[in-house]
């Protein structure tokens, strides 16, 4: 049901550094034809930092951990025809042989099974704006509370209610570590977020906090790295969310809808920033994984 690529299995067996990557952003996160580059570049940066990449997706009835370039291309080419696979969707994708592009939550579930401790992504899901009227809370959060994995992301996606998401992470007992920053990055924007409860300055510090957290019997952690280049997309987010409401877009479709809107309206700037932050986060996840492996 779950199948690890030989390279990933060997690295895990020998206590080496492995970084999981998700496929939702490959299939649903970018304009058609651009997802493959994102996936390959994230893998390249993980290797360059000395770790083994393990991109996760559901393919031909199996949760696969570690994909070939041809397999990554299948996710990129599928676009919207790939199912967005959160934790609740894995079983249906496996049983029905549906191509499942795993979200952060779906990827975390695979990490728990495979014994992978590190994951790199763009921005995690969280508490959506307007949650008082419609209780939309990403399954990324619940899974982070269960899986013993450190995620590197540029904070939480700013299309969410960022403050409510930070509160929810506290409720779930998930440490949020600012990477050389005292405020939570806002995905496309580095500054202006709420204060983080702790800051780390080096990969080995992040690894030692993770080790302590796991030794205390706890689960997930978030290491929040600000994007190198920033863009203020707040007005676009508000317009996109209003559009989504007007068109009746809800549930799993909201995040890709809003990202596509922003990508269209910023004439390539948000795509460039999003690609870069995903690759940089993957590289940092690999640095922390290496520091942890060499402890
Ligand atoms: N980060 C990106 N692009 C994305 C996502 C994250 O840069 O497309 C995806 C992740 O897979 C995340 C998901 O798990 O969006 C959250 O979706 P939702 O809010 O529906 O749970
Ligand atoms: Mn949701």
């Amino acid at each position: 049901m779950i199948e690890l690529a030989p390279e990933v299995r060997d690295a895990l067996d020998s206590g080496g550094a492995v970084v999981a990557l998700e496929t939702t952003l490959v299939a649903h996160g970018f304009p058609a034809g651009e997802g493959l580059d994102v996936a390959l570049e994230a893998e390249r940066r993980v290797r360059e930092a000395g770790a083994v990449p393990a991109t996760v997706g559901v393919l031909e009835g199996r949760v696969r951990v570690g994909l070939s370039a041809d397999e990554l291309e299948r996710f990129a080419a599928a676009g919207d025809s790939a199912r967005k696979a959160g934790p609740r969707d894995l079983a249906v994708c496996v049983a029905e042989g549906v191509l499942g592009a795993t979200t952060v939550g779906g990827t975390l579930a695979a990490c728990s099974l495979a014994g992978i401790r590190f994951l790199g992504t763009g921005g995690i899901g969280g508490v959506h704006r307007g949650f008082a009227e419609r209780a939309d809370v990403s399954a990324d959060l619940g899974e982070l509370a269960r899986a013993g994995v450190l995620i590197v992301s540029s904070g939480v996606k700013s299309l969410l209610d960022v403050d409510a998401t930070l509160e929810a992470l506290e409720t779930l007992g998930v440490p949020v570590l600012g990477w050389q920053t005292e405020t939570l990055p806002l995905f496309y924007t580095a500054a202006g977020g709420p204060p983080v409860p702790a800051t780390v300055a080096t990969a080995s510090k992040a690894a030692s906090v993770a080790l302590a957290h796991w030794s205390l019997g706890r689960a997930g952690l978030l290491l929040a790295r600000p994007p190198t280049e920033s863009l203020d997309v707040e007005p676009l987010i508000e317009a996109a969310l209003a559009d989504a409401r007007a068109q009746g877009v809800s549930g799993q479709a909201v995040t890709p809808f809003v990202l596509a809107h922003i990508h269209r309206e910023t004439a390539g700037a948000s795509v460039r920033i999003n690609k870069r932050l995903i690759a940089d986060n993957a590289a940092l996840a690999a640095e922390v994984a290496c520091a942890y492996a060499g402890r």
Side-chain angles (χ1 to χ4, degrees):
M1 207 146 284
I2 179 161
E3 186 179 324
L4 276 62
E7 185 192 18
V8 173
R9 169 157 301 294
D10 289 350
L12 289 170
D13 286 349
S14 63
V18 176
V19 173
L21 301 166
E22 51 143 320
T23 39
T24 289
L25 59 84
V26 178
H28 302 287
F30 288 90
E34 299 196 38
L36 181 62
D37 281 355
V38 177
L40 292 175
E41 181 62 7
E43 290 208 343
R44 191 187 70 72
R45 294 285 301 276
V46 168
R47 286 190 197 283
E48 188 178 72
V52 173
T55 304
V56 173
V58 190
L59 199 62
E60 286 156 2
R62 286 200 181 150
V63 176
R64 300 278 308 277
V65 181
L67 299 171
S68 69
D70 285 349
E71 289 163 345
L72 289 172
E73 165 65 9
R74 287 177 60 178
F75 286 91
D80 286 347
S81 65
R83 180 94 53 102
K84 181 170 166 182
R88 67 150 191 212
D89 307 296
L90 294 175
V92 169
C93 290
V94 165
E96 296 186 357
V98 168
L99 188 70
T102 52
T103 63
V104 168
T107 305
L108 283 171
C111 287
S112 293
L113 284 169
I116 296 175
R117 293 286 196 181
F118 299 92
L119 189 161
T121 188
I124 66 164
V127 180
H128 282 259
R129 296 184 192 187
F131 64 92
E133 292 85 57
R134 178 182 227 117
D136 186 354
V137 178
S138 176
D140 292 359
L141 295 186
E143 214 49 46
L144 196 45
R146 274 187 289 271
V149 175
L150 178 140
I151 297 188
V152 180
S153 79
S154 294
V156 303
K157 281 192 292 267
S158 42
L159 59 107
L160 304 167
D161 185 327
V162 174
D163 293 299
T165 303
L166 195 56
E167 292 291 347
L169 287 165
E170 180 183 5
T171 303
L172 296 170
V174 175
V176 177
L177 310 174
W179 172 251
Q180 301 175 345
T181 178
E182 271 150 32
T183 59
L184 189 67
L186 302 173
F187 194 45
Y188 294 120
T189 316
V196 285
T199 294
V200 291
T202 63
S204 67
K205 265 282 152 55
S208 55
V209 176
L211 175 61
H213 191 61
W214 297 330
S215 302
L216 292 166
R218 313 295 310 162
L221 308 91
L222 185 65
L223 176 58
R225 181 191 169 287
T228 310
E229 193 187 342
S230 273
L231 185 71
D232 179 13
V233 292
E234 184 55 33
L236 292 178
I237 290 172
E238 279 162 25
L241 288 171
D243 256 23
R245 261 191 309 276
Q247 294 180 37
V249 174
S250 66
Q252 283 183 319
V254 173
T255 297
F257 179 93
V258 173
L259 291 177
H261 182 107
I262 296 170
H263 290 334
R264 257 193 328 271
E265 297 292 319
T266 57
S270 65
V271 170
R272 185 180 70 241
I273 293 173
N274 202 349
K275 283 181 176 169
R276 176 151 184 212
L277 65 85
I278 288 167
D280 288 345
N281 294 344
L284 179 56
E287 280 174 48
V288 180
C290 288
Y292 181 80
R295 69 194 182 275

